[in-house]
């Protein structure tokens, strides 16, 4: 539970399939390529996580589910963080303020993104979902800052 950082390529190219962190985890950062190119299917991320760096889960072609703790402190999803993955749906925790370039790029199975009520999201890169499923639906809370910015996409 005292682990605060998963370093660059720390678990990348491994044979991990399911990852769960303890409730009292102190994990703050998942670094570049930390889980890249693994057969990961599911990951349960702890509330303490603040940032997912670029390409952290890129080419995780088996991953379908990413679970965030209800009290998630996650603020940033980096460039290409989940690119070329097999995600089908994802709920963006309310504290996320930044989703960078191609964070979900080339996710051909992704059909649903839900942005929570009272979202802090203020920076959504125009290419965050580029070349993903053409039937992708993004649910944005009515009256949110993001809804007002939506017209610029």
């Amino acid at each position: 539970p005292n682990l605060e950082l998963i370093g660059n390529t720390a678990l990348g190219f491994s044979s991990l399939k399911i990852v769960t962190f303890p409730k009292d985890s102190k994990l703050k950062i998942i670094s570049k390529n930390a889980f890249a190119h693994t057969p990961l299917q599911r990951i349960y991320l702890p509330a303490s996580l603040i940032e997912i760096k670029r390409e952290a889960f890129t080419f995780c072609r088996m991953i379908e589910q990413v679970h965030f703790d209800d009290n998630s402190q996650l603020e940033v999803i980096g460039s290409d963080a989940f690119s070329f993955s097999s995600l089908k749906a994802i709920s963006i925790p309310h504290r996320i303020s930044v989703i960078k370039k191609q964070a979900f790029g080339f996710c051909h199975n992704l059909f649903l993104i839900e942005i929570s009520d009272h979202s802090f999201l203020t920076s959504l890169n125009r290419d965050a979902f580029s070349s993903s499923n053409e039937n992708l639906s993004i649910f944005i809370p009515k009256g949110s800052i993001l809804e007002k910015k939506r017209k610029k996409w």
Side-chain angles (χ1 to χ4, degrees):
N2 295 323
L3 179 68
E4 292 185 13
L5 169 80
I6 297 177
N8 292 350
T9 321
L11 300 165
F13 300 93
S14 69
S15 59
L16 287 173
K17 292 188 179 178
I18 298 172
V19 175
T20 304
F21 294 92
K23 276 282 192 197
D24 59 345
S25 174
K26 293 179 177 73
L27 182 66
K28 302 258 187 257
I29 296 172
I30 296 177
S31 298
K32 181 180 178 183
N33 293 310
F35 291 94
H37 298 272
T38 64
L40 194 60
Q41 296 169 358
R42 285 188 306 274
I43 187 161
Y44 299 86
L45 298 171
S48 59
L49 186 64
I50 294 171
E51 184 173 6
I52 297 173
K53 299 269 188 186
R54 68 177 297 126
E55 301 172 355
F57 296 93
T58 192
F59 288 100
C60 287
R61 297 202 185 261
M62 303 294 288
I63 196 167
E64 294 182 356
Q65 297 176 343
V66 175
H67 296 279
F68 298 99
D69 189 274
D70 290 339
N71 298 315
S72 177
Q73 301 298 303
L74 188 61
E75 297 174 4
V76 178
I77 297 178
S79 300
D80 297 295
F82 293 94
S83 62
F84 297 98
S85 72
S86 295
L87 285 175
K88 291 183 177 180
I90 192 160
S91 292
I92 305 295
H94 80 280
R95 286 201 176 264
I96 290 182
S97 58
V98 177
I99 298 178
K100 295 187 177 180
K101 180 179 148 192
Q102 293 189 344
F104 299 93
F106 303 95
C107 293
H108 301 296
N109 297 328
L110 188 59
F111 69 89
L112 176 64
I113 295 172
E114 292 180 304
I115 298 173
S116 68
D117 290 337
H118 312 295
S119 174
F120 289 16
L121 191 57
T122 55
S123 179
L124 177 62
N125 187 283
R126 205 164 47 172
D127 296 330
F129 308 105
S130 68
S131 299
S132 289
N133 186 336
E134 63 186 40
N135 296 315
L136 176 64
S137 295
I138 302 174
F139 288 95
I140 300 169
K142 188 171 182 164
S144 69
I145 294 169
L146 201 55
E147 181 189 36
K148 293 170 187 154
K149 290 184 174 190
R150 175 177 69 182
K151 295 174 185 168
K152 296 179 184 177
W153 297 346

